[in-house]
Amino acid sequence: MAKTKVSFFCTSCGYESPKWMGKCPSCGEWNSMTEELVQKESGKSSAVLQALQSYDKRAKSSPVPISEIKPGDNARFDTFDGELNRVLGGGLVAGSVVLIGGQPGIGKSTLLLQTAMRYSRTVLYVSGEESEEQIQMRASRITGDGSNTYIYTETNLASILSEAVKLKPGLMIIDSIQTVSNDQIESAPGSITQVRECAAQFQRFAKETNIPVILIGHITKEGGLAGPKLLEHIVDVVLQFEGDQNNLYRVLRTLKNRFGSTDELAIYAMESGGLREILNPSEMLISQSTEELSGTAVACSVEGMRPLLLETQALVTPTVYGTPQRSATGYDSRRLSMILAVLEKRCGLPFGTRDVFLNLVGGIKISDPAIDLAVVVALISSLQDIAIGKNICFAAEIGLTGEIRGVPRIEQRTQEAARLGFDTIYISKYSPSIKVKGITIKTLARLEDLFGEIFG
Ligand code: TYD
Ligand code: MG
């Protein structure tokens, strides 16, 4: 008879402790311990292990020289989605476990159902969240063949694995890992013990059968991926699906990839027929109007490996009530405060008595510091109501002393700007000097130089 016991787990890193603690000794997070019922596994082999036995061909594995290991024939599978292939590092690796996290309603189920219906081999789509009819309704909106897609609405881990062993699919999708539970563990589905146990079993299943598994994970209120950080250690690839639900665009980012770079980014548009890949994001992120308006400037950023031109818009108005308002969408608001302080101190501009609103077009969050200069130009342009030319773009970081600093991949940024028809790009004087056909490269050393160059 198995013994029941209670343990405390840190919701942030998965640290286990027999008693409650205010601060997790492992990751230092405060107030993150939660109580969970755990039951140690009894001696007999679990249903999960039995389900896997037919595949247990490598049970007696022994050390092998690395030079004698043969690469698999189909090491990577095409997902028939260029953007997804890109963030995965060139397709799905056989036997890998991919975790996709994101907020509710962002489009995780849509993306994976779409992938399932396009996949060239059999796909087992396990859903613990929606009924068969609901999935069918969704599928009818999405373009794709779908004759290879099997839907299984089940939450029991052992049943899922034994069906998967029978069907031998080319890909298994679990929607979502928080709904799956192992009935040998007493804690509730979605608890840390369950999520960790189930993810570990899927990982084991994937390694032994060579079937890739994609897990969908919910994001916690704090924005952490699938609750316990621990999941991120178990799986091979972690992708994050983000975006503003009221906006058309969605971004899929790589947070961890054992088989490729984490510098990748995919952009989709959510449309009535599912998610559409955006192959030329820059063209969408620059507003189409030809009119010259004050308060806008185009930044030349690089997200992941891709250059991305996007428009920054600022609105600066006199403050009516006491404290000036500052609001930034898509841009770090602390960084905005820093830039306003630098502008006030170094250039003597009166932002302290102005409300400031900043917006990156397209609702995409960008963390590249190279957009600083465009933000500064948009702010000054709105403050002084001077429109700047439509064919100018910017790529540089602003330092605390008001210096304009160089950013990496300047050549790539300039080439993208030239390709999109910009005729001038402003960069830092300290960037390596380059020449790109069809575009004038102008350099700035300090914020004050902007006044001679742009705001006459
Ligand atoms: P969903 O995939 O259910 O999100 P998640 O699994 O991440 O919770 O996406 C739900 C949203 O997507 C919903 O608000 C409607 C929208 N949607 C479309 O705009 N077009 C479509 O073709 C589909 C299937 C969904
Ligand atoms: Mg869903």
Side-chain angles (χ1 to χ4, degrees):
M1 180 64 201
K3 230 171 70 203
T4 326
K5 71 164 196 167
V6 168
S7 241
F8 293 85
F9 289 90
C10 168
T11 45
S12 149
C13 69
Y15 178 82
E16 185 178 352
S17 150
K19 60 179 189 356
W20 189 84
M21 278 182 272
K23 183 185 179 186
C24 169
S26 166
C27 67
E29 193 73 29
W30 284 94
N31 217 2
S32 61
M33 294 297 230
T34 55
E35 181 180 340
E36 275 185 26
L37 202 59
V38 278
Q39 188 179 39
K40 289 283 170 218
E41 264 188 52
S42 51
K44 65 176 171 45
S45 77
S46 66
V48 174
L49 291 181
Q50 283 166 10
L52 276 174
Q53 251 157 25
S54 55
Y55 269 105
D56 244 351
K57 51 185 189 293
R58 286 188 304 166
K60 292 188 199 72
S61 82
S62 52
V64 187
I66 193 164
S67 53
E68 284 177 23
I69 302 174
K70 293 185 194 68
D73 306 335
N74 279 326
R76 281 188 193 266
F77 302 115
D78 188 357
T79 60
F80 298 92
D81 178 335
E83 296 288 282
L84 187 60
N85 281 344
R86 185 213 314 274
V87 289
L88 290 170
L92 262 178
V93 173
S96 65
V97 178
V98 179
L99 173 68
I100 296 196
Q103 282 173 342
I106 203 78
K108 302 180 295 295
S109 307
T110 309
L111 176 70
L112 291 182
L113 188 61
Q114 187 173 311
T115 307
M117 290 171 63
R118 289 180 188 171
Y119 209 61
S120 54
R121 308 164 76 209
T122 317
V123 180
L124 179 60
Y125 187 100
V126 182
S127 179
E129 304 204 332
E130 287 159 290
S131 69
E132 286 159 16
E133 295 78 37
Q134 286 168 330
I135 298 172
Q136 204 283 326
M137 263 165 62
R138 186 198 297 272
S140 63
R141 300 175 59 173
I142 296 172
T143 44
D145 167 26
S147 54
N148 288 330
T149 313
Y150 288 77
I151 304 293
Y152 185 34
T153 48
E154 177 59 65
T155 56
N156 183 294
L157 179 67
S159 319
I160 295 172
L161 290 181
S162 66
E163 284 303 320
V165 165
K166 266 188 249 159
L167 186 68
K168 295 190 176 56
L171 167 66
M172 176 154 80
I173 295 171
I174 309 293
D175 187 1
S176 66
I177 183 72
Q178 273 95 350
T179 58
V180 180
S181 65
N182 183 348
D183 52 14
Q184 296 200 322
I185 296 177
E186 271 186 29
S187 42
S191 65
I192 293 169
T193 334
Q194 282 289 8
V195 167
R196 186 166 58 174
E197 160 71 12
C198 296
Q201 294 293 351
F202 284 125
Q203 172 74 317
R204 180 155 179 239
F205 169 84
K207 293 291 167 287
E208 286 184 9
T209 59
N210 243 352
I211 297 173
V213 177
I214 303 183
L215 308 174
I216 293 183
H218 292 296
I219 254 175
T220 60
K221 329 188 259 310
E222 291 81 30
L225 194 62
K229 268 263 182 306
L230 210 99
L231 257 193
E232 299 185 13
H233 300 298
I234 298 173
V235 302
D236 300 304
V237 180
V238 180
L239 304 179
Q240 179 149 306
F241 210 19
E242 53 189 45
D244 182 356
Q245 268 194 48
N246 305 321
N247 217 306
L248 182 66
Y249 303 109
R250 302 283 188 274
V251 175
L252 189 62
R253 269 177 219 280
T254 320
L255 298 187
K256 163 183 174 178
N257 192 350
R258 284 189 179 145
F259 323 107
S261 149
T262 50
D263 275 345
E264 292 293 358
L265 178 100
I267 300 181
Y268 293 93
M270 178 59 101
E271 294 182 345
S272 59
L275 288 153
R276 184 170 59 85
E277 305 164 37
I278 303 284
L279 300 174
N280 241 330
S282 302
E283 283 164 20
M284 322 277 304
L285 298 175
I286 300 173
S287 75
Q288 319 286 310
S289 103
T290 48
E291 222 178 316
E292 286 188 2
L293 298 169
S294 69
T296 74
V298 174
C300 200
S301 80
V302 169
E303 269 297 292
M305 308 288 267
R306 295 160 97 183
L308 201 65
L309 273 85
L310 77 163
E311 190 170 314
T312 59
Q313 297 184 336
L315 180 66
V316 179
T317 55
T319 305
V320 185
Y321 303 108
T323 328
Q325 289 192 54
R326 270 100 181 79
S327 152
T329 314
Y331 189 72
D332 183 7
S333 52
R334 274 170 308 177
R335 201 156 178 93
L336 173 64
S337 305
M338 181 213 93
I339 286 195
L340 292 173
V342 172
L343 281 173
E344 179 121 27
K345 171 110 182 158
R346 305 289 160 194
C347 308
L349 295 170
F351 282 107
T353 54
R354 300 288 197 279
D355 288 344
V356 175
F357 305 93
L358 183 76
N359 184 20
L360 299 191
V361 171
I364 289 181
K365 244 196 346 246
I366 302 281
S367 49
D368 183 8
I371 59 180
D372 286 358
L373 186 57
V375 168
V376 162
V377 172
L379 288 170
I380 303 177
S381 158
S382 175
L383 178 76
Q384 302 191 338
D385 204 13
I386 300 174
I388 57 156
K390 269 267 155 204
N391 289 324
I392 304 178
C393 63
F394 304 87
E397 189 183 340
I398 306 293
L400 286 179
T401 56
E403 83 270 26
I404 294 183
R405 305 166 56 123
V407 285
R409 300 180 204 261
I410 202 71
E411 186 156 8
Q412 216 183 341
R413 296 174 201 263
T414 312
Q415 278 163 352
E416 177 76 355
R419 192 180 71 78
L420 289 170
F422 285 85
D423 56 29
T424 311
I425 181 168
Y426 281 91
I427 62 172
S428 163
K429 196 177 165 191
Y430 310 107
S431 289
S433 80
I434 49 162
K435 271 209 165 62
V436 174
K437 227 176 106 209
I439 188 163
T440 316
I441 300 169
K442 293 197 175 166
T443 61
L444 302 166
R446 303 196 49 79
L447 275 182
E448 292 86 324
D449 300 349
L450 275 175
F451 294 94
E453 278 282 345
I454 299 168
F455 305 103

